[in-house]
Amino acid sequence: MKFVSILLITLLLTMTAVAAVANTESATTDLTKKNFKKHCASCHGEDRLGIVGPPLIPQSFKRLKAKAATLVIKNGRVATQMPAFGKTLSDMQISDLVDYIYTKPTHSPEWDMNAIKQSHKISHAPESLGNTPVFKADMQNLFLVVEIGDHHVTLLNGDSFEPIYRLKTHNALHGGPKYSKDGRYVFFASRDGWITKFDIYNLKVIADIRVGINTRNLAVSDDGKFIIAGNTLPHTAVILSAHDLSPIKLIPVVNEAGESSRVSAVYTAAPRQSFILALKDFPEVWEIPYVEKEIFVHDYRYEMPEYTGKPFSIRRIKLSNYLDDFFFNQDYTHIIGAARPEGERFPQGGQVIKISSGRKVSNIDLPGMPHLSSGISWKYKDTRIIATPNIKKGIVSIIDTKDWKTIKKIKTKGPGFFMRSHEKSPYAWVDVFFGPHKDLVHIIDKQTLEIVKTLQPVPGKTAAHVEFTKDGRYALLSIWEDDGAVIVYDALTLKEVTRLPMKKPSGKYNVYNKTHLEEGTSH
Ligand code: DHE
């Protein structure tokens, strides 16, 4: 009997040890690692910590179950650069890759305050540079064009459309660069965690710092003093001084149960003098005040306690669903958000949250996958509407902000990514980024809510992302290809004015429109 027990215990221990080995990186076969290197590493990194694609380690898969991951590898993923491997790899090879990406890496990826401080480099102290621009132009009508083809940013004169300067950047900038309120400085975030401050007046980099291994985006406080960057790896947010990017605070993104989350986006809510963080792995939104005064949150209807937050403290707004993507109404009183289906237990759908009370005030009928961070708003009849493209369905949803009802779904030639307008323009522009009609751009009449024209700037080439000049007279459109271009259109006649060759231009950002929170552009 004693012998049988010893045998059983030995067997159990052996099984546990085998299971532990199977769950380590060294247990992954060379063939699977070879397949990873061949098919995945160029976007996700040989170390699986992400480059243009997200990290592929267990910390990144809180909501994505292995079954869903298998389908992503097989069929690709909408709204990303992820292709389908169903025809290149066998089911067994895909299953081995799924096992591999759910295996913890040998070295746990850390990026603590020490690493952040070590990476900080000041190239030019702000005080050492002059206060007069070194070139002549309307400083409010400048554009920055992000060229992801060769990792540069072009500074463009918004009157003459002449390039002024071309800056080499860190790899894979993502999200809009953010200007200081006076438009002199601009801050960039790269997917691999680098934040850069650039002085437009002097055409000089002020400083760089690496805040994480994989970063989502950044926001600048309205008083121009602070930067916040949200990371997907590690699960942190980092506060920096906007002066020279010195690190101020590392905030672990953890809920009350001790679980951590990726940050899906950070934004500045200027009227509230706070940053708003949306989280990917638990249904909360965080408000982080950045001022030396207390923020009071009170809503008599809900008998909410007053929140007396100090700078960089966390106000947790608990939600009934995730917020993967959201935007604010024009006066920043409400968040309009939506969850993305990732095989998780929460349903997909839109919701409106009143920030002061932290309560959901409405659901919104938003089918497919609305791209709310690209939503815009304008006055329509006696109300204000918001419009959002959809990355899964060929529709633009039009929502009345009076009662949050969808008043129209405008049918398009396919799913789109970016939507833009300008207060002075009668038209809203939306691309058809996905599918066979990616070379088309629809022009929507803002008062009839009808598509009045469809442009095909370069047949067969992706046309996407529009930004207007300061006065709304011209619209600049990207031909999103390695040998691409920015095409300038007269925003009224819709005729081409000029075209500038660029290397896969993605977003374009006009100083005035961004710093004045123009209603037709993202903030
Ligand atoms: Fe983006 C902005 C999230 C894939 C190009 N993208 C944003 C923002 C978020 C976001 C939260 C707003 C941040 C800001 O401006 O401060 N993007 C996501 C995703 O979750 C998604 C779908 C998956 C991912 O890989 O992260 C995604 N995005 C892409 C791309 O594949 C695009 C087309 C190419 C690229 O550069 O990676 C892309 N995203 C952009 C651009 C903006 C952006 C150009 C800025 C839009 C603007 O005008 O403000």
Side-chain angles (χ1 to χ4, degrees), residues 134 250 254 281 363:
V134 295
L250 180 72
V254 177
D281 300 313
N363 288 320

Side-chain angles (χ1 to χ4, degrees), residues 290-321:
Y290 51 74
V291 285
E292 282 297 334
K293 67 173 190 162
E294 295 180 338
I295 285 190
F296 292 95
V297 177
H298 182 71
D299 191 315
Y300 65 92
R301 287 176 305 162
Y302 301 111
E303 295 173 3
M304 282 284 291
E306 285 184 342
Y307 169 78
T308 54
K310 299 275 182 246
F312 312 134
S313 61
I314 298 160
R315 172 184 171 221
R316 294 168 192 274
I317 302 176
K318 295 191 180 164
L319 308 171
S320 56
N321 201 350

Side-chain angles (χ1 to χ4, degrees), residues 52-54 78-81 148 172-178 191 216-219 264-267 280 324-325 340 369 371 373-374 391 417-418 420 433-434 465-467 480 506-509 514 521-523:
V52 285
V78 71
T80 70
Q81 321 285 318
I148 52 177
L173 294 191
H174 175 240
K178 301 285 150 53
R191 284 195 187 254
R216 203 82 271 261
N217 74 327
L218 70 82
S264 53
V266 292
Y267 296 104
K280 242 183 174 353
D324 289 311
D325 192 17
R340 284 186 186 151
M369 204 191 279
H371 194 215
S373 54
S374 189
I391 39 196
F417 217 97
F418 302 107
R420 282 289 184 278
F433 201 86
F434 305 100
H465 195 285
V466 171
E467 180 69 290
W480 197 293
S506 58
K508 299 157 293 299
Y509 306 89
K514 291 294 173 193
T521 193
S522 62
H523 300 163

Side-chain angles (χ1 to χ4, degrees), residues 39 43-44 71-77 80-86 88:
H39 301 292
C43 290
H44 299 280
L71 291 177
V72 171
I73 300 177
K74 246 185 177 168
N75 307 327
R77 175 166 259 215
T80 70
Q81 321 285 318
M82 176 71 189
F85 288 97
T88 328

